[in-house]
């Protein structure tokens, strides 16, 4: 991944930034360049609730600044997957993160409104609810502490989110969480291989997804013992969901050209396969026409 450690020990760390953990001398970057990858979105792993900011880099350069194509690219959220957490705790703690943000913003809004009225030498005569409403319009990034600043940017539509969805049963909650807090339109869902079973949820959400490097999902019937295999990208292609591909962990699947070739062999068009490893990931990373052409 190019980081000295892919996951932090704190479950909620929106104040973190992969800038501080990137190692330009990591062999990961040299290997990526040899494999034909010219841009990499480095973001923290899935063992988190809310992680820090990602960064898009080129796999060459002596310093992180020299490698950077886009800083503060997105914030990472995981709706399932943290070790020692079950889904009940994971979801409850995620809700608590955004409840805490709302409480913090309301308190700060009242304070900012009162300060503004005092500076204007006026007495505060409105209700607390009205003061909060007016005060929220006065809040700027510099007013917030490190713990809440990036979450505030997220819910205000100024920061992208990468939301990891491990299983199909996590899909509805992931979409509802992003919708409830106003960042669905800036969300890319990063999916586990089994999540294709909830393809209709992502189809309805009209948001792009990043598929697991394991393109095939194999399942054995508990009664008959019969094994079925599903080629995951075709499920999303048939549903009209925009998707990007990740390198796999096997010797051959680590090459993106191999991933694209598999897609063509399984019935996808060449254009669909090529865009999944070039223009689509470039667009998701915010690089537009700067990469992936």
């Amino acid at each position: 991944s190019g980081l000295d450690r892919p996951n932090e020990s704190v479950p909620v760390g929106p104040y973190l930034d992969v800038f501080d953990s990137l190692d330009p001398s990591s062999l990961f970057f040299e290997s990526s360049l040899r494999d034909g990858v010219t841009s990499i979105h480095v973001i923290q792993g899935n063992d988190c609730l809310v992680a820090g900011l990602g960064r898009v880099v080129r796999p060459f350069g002596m310093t992180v600044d020299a490698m950077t194509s886009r800083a503060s690219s997105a914030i990472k959220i995981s709706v399932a997957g943290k070790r020692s957490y079950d889904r009940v705790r994971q979801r409850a703690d995620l809700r608590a993160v955004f409840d805490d943000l709302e409480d913090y913003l309301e308190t700060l809004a009242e304070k900012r409104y009162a300060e503004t009225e005092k500076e204007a030498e006026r007495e505060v005569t409105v209700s607390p609810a009205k003061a909060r409403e007016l005060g929220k319009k006065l809040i700027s990034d510099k007013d917030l502490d490190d713990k809440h600043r990036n979450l505030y940017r997220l819910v205000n539509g100024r920061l992208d989110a990468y939301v990891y969805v491990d299983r199909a049963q996590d899909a509805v909650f992931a979409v509802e969480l992003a919708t409830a807090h106003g960042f669905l339109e800036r969300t890319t869902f990063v999916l586990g291989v089994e999540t294709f079973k909830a393809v209709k949820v992502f189809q309805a959400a009209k948001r792009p997804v990043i598929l697991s490097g394991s393109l095939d999902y194999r399942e054995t019937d508990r009664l008959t013992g019969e094994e079925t295999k599903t080629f995951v990208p075709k499920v999303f292609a048939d549903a009209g969901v925009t998707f990007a591909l990740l390198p796999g962990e096997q010797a051959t699947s680590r090459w993106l050209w191999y991933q694209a070739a598999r897609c063509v062999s399984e019935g996808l068009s060449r254009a669909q396969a090529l865009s999944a490893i070039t223009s689509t990931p470039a667009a998701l990373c915010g690089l537009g026409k700067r990469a992936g052409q």
Side-chain angles (χ1 to χ4, degrees):
S1 66
L3 301 175
D4 58 9
R5 56 185 299 177
N7 290 288
E8 293 294 334
S9 57
V10 293
V12 180
Y15 46 84
L16 299 172
D17 192 319
V18 297
F19 174 87
D20 299 311
S21 188
L22 269 166
D23 178 11
S25 66
S26 171
L27 292 178
F28 167 78
F29 294 117
E30 182 178 344
S31 297
S32 297
L33 190 59
R34 289 180 184 275
D35 290 344
V37 177
T38 58
S39 293
I40 301 169
H41 189 192
V42 181
I43 199 163
Q44 289 176 307
N46 303 320
D47 189 30
C48 67
L49 298 177
V50 180
L53 298 178
R55 178 172 292 249
V56 183
V57 301
R58 297 175 292 269
F60 50 84
M62 299 298 292
T63 66
V64 175
D65 285 330
M67 298 170 69
T68 298
S69 297
R70 184 191 177 197
S72 302
S73 56
I75 195 168
K76 179 68 174 289
I77 296 173
S78 178
V79 301
K82 181 161 181 59
R83 285 173 292 182
S84 79
Y85 277 51
D86 59 21
R87 278 178 171 77
V88 173
R89 181 180 177 187
Q90 184 110 3
R91 296 182 183 190
D93 285 2
L94 275 170
R95 293 187 185 99
V97 167
F98 290 98
D99 288 345
D100 171 71
L101 174 65
E102 183 61 27
D103 290 343
Y104 174 81
L105 291 176
E106 288 185 353
T107 301
L108 181 61
E110 286 189 51
K111 178 181 177 182
R112 287 289 291 117
Y113 179 76
E115 290 172 347
T116 302
E117 294 298 284
K118 184 177 180 181
E119 291 170 1
E121 298 182 349
R122 295 191 296 261
E123 291 187 9
V124 177
T125 58
V126 301
S127 67
K130 187 65 174 179
R132 288 193 294 269
E133 179 185 344
L134 296 172
K136 284 185 178 181
K137 300 176 182 179
L138 303 172
I139 296 174
S140 63
D141 288 357
K142 63 181 178 60
D143 297 321
L144 287 91
D145 60 21
D146 291 342
K147 178 182 177 182
H148 297 95
R149 186 175 298 112
N150 288 331
L151 290 173
Y152 175 70
R153 292 170 60 204
L154 172 67
V155 299
N156 273 355
R158 294 185 289 118
L159 186 63
D160 295 344
Y162 272 50
V163 178
Y164 175 64
V165 185
D166 183 36
R167 304 286 297 277
Q169 67 191 91
D170 304 320
V172 171
F173 175 76
V175 173
E176 288 179 345
L177 182 75
T179 302
H181 299 289
F183 58 90
L184 178 64
E185 295 304 313
R186 300 184 68 89
T187 293
T188 298
F189 293 101
V190 185
L191 307 184
V193 66
E194 187 253 19
T195 317
F196 77 91
K197 295 179 180 180
V199 64
K200 291 184 178 179
V201 176
F202 301 107
Q203 183 184 46
K206 298 180 180 179
R207 295 303 303 156
V209 301
I210 299 175
L211 302 182
S212 166
S214 301
L215 302 182
D216 297 310
Y217 179 77
R218 290 179 169 81
E219 188 170 31
T220 302
D221 189 290
R222 294 182 179 180
L223 296 178
T224 66
E226 180 182 358
E227 184 180 79
T228 58
K229 185 179 78 169
T230 301
F231 187 70
V232 175
K234 190 170 189 333
V235 176
F236 285 90
D238 290 347
V241 178
T242 300
F243 67 91
L245 297 174
L246 283 176
E249 297 180 357
Q250 302 301 318
T252 52
S253 64
R254 70 184 179 91
W255 293 310
L256 287 174
W257 61 261
Y258 174 84
Q259 303 280 64
R262 280 289 319 279
C263 287
V264 174
S265 71
E266 294 288 345
L268 277 70
S269 70
R270 290 176 178 269
Q272 287 175 313
L274 186 60
S275 64
I277 64 170
T278 54
S279 58
T280 296
L284 298 184
C285 289
L287 298 184
K289 295 182 179 181
R290 295 166 55 193
Q293 303 302 308

